[in-house]
Amino acid sequence: MHKFVKDLKNTFIAIKKDKEKLLKKDPSIEYSYQVLLHVGFISLTFYRISHLFYTNNLKFISFLIHFLSRILFSIDIHPAAKIEPGVVIDHGIGTVIGSTASVGEGTIIYHGVTLGARNIQKGKRHPDVGKNVLIGAGAKILGPVKIGNNAKIGANSVVLEDVPENSVFVGIPAKNTNEIKNEEIEWII
């Protein structure tokens, strides 16, 4: 019981940090009450509560909350995923975060993003996203790849390999913009 109370307190701290980051990083929010109507924030809150029950071995309740969140918000965040406090899911519709994925603080995830697996297997199969990463709308990051801190993933890119810190990856499959020839960048833009 002591662990559950401690985890509950940490859940509320995480929700508070999520709200603070959202207010800081989303210029469309004019009034603080809008946070209570923000689909990405509410679904992340559902995830945090579901994760609380999941980590305290109350899995039926966890998956029930997860199921309700998927129906209400069209966002699928597995209760076993590890998402640090202070993450922003902007718009969010169609976002999928797999069970072995992790997401670092300060990361912004736009709608239609998938942090998914490439193969059906046991063990680590989803990405690890660092801190302060920007993931553009519709991007797919597949497999147990690592996305470095402060990286940017372009909209609709498909990432199949590790992304170094402070880099920008775009395209299908995604490539580092530093390694793309000027002619290719003009075509992409």
Side-chain angles (χ1 to χ4, degrees):
M1 185 61 148
H2 178 69
K3 180 187 180 313
F4 184 84
V5 172
K6 181 181 174 191
D7 289 349
L8 181 62
K9 180 182 175 186
N10 289 335
T11 298
F12 284 110
I13 290 169
I15 292 168
K16 182 180 179 190
K17 285 184 181 178
D18 293 338
K19 179 183 175 185
E20 289 168 358
K21 282 289 187 191
L22 179 61
L23 289 169
K24 182 178 178 182
K25 292 194 174 198
D26 190 344
S28 71
I29 296 179
E30 299 172 22
Y31 306 101
S32 59
Y33 71 82
Q34 287 177 282
V35 171
L36 300 174
L37 305 172
H38 192 279
V39 171
F41 174 75
I42 300 299
S43 68
L44 193 54
T45 300
F46 269 64
Y47 152 77
R48 298 228 181 266
I49 295 166
S50 176
H51 184 73
L52 167 70
F53 286 109
Y54 187 89
T55 57
N56 282 278
N57 221 17
L58 297 166
K59 297 200 176 163
F60 178 78
I61 297 169
S62 173
F63 284 112
L64 181 61
I65 294 167
H66 171 240
F67 176 75
L68 293 172
S69 179
R70 284 185 357 198
I71 290 174
L72 292 171
F73 308 114
S74 297
I75 299 173
D76 185 354
I77 307 172
H78 194 282
K82 293 180 176 88
I83 302 176
E84 291 182 5
V87 169
V88 174
I89 299 177
D90 197 5
H91 302 291
I93 304 300
T95 297
V96 176
I97 300 176
S99 62
T100 64
S102 67
V103 180
E105 177 184 0
T107 294
I108 299 177
I109 300 172
Y110 285 97
H111 57 281
V113 166
T114 299
L115 304 180
R118 291 177 74 177
N119 299 308
I120 299 172
Q121 63 190 41
K122 290 201 178 277
K124 180 68 175 158
R125 60 192 176 281
H126 299 102
D128 291 319
V129 177
K131 296 177 187 299
N132 301 310
V133 174
L134 183 128
I135 306 174
K140 309 299 178 218
I141 305 174
L142 304 174
V145 299
K146 294 187 184 329
I147 310 300
N149 296 337
N150 306 306
K152 293 181 178 153
I153 309 299
N156 294 315
S157 296
V158 178
V159 178
L160 302 172
E161 61 186 51
D162 290 352
V163 173
E165 289 187 357
N166 304 308
S167 60
V168 178
F169 270 57
V170 297
I172 303 172
K175 296 179 185 175
N176 192 332
T177 56
N178 293 334
E179 298 172 2
I180 299 174
K181 297 175 187 168
N182 285 338
E183 307 86 49
E184 290 179 22
I185 289 176
E186 288 175 14
W187 186 82
I188 291 171
I189 296 171

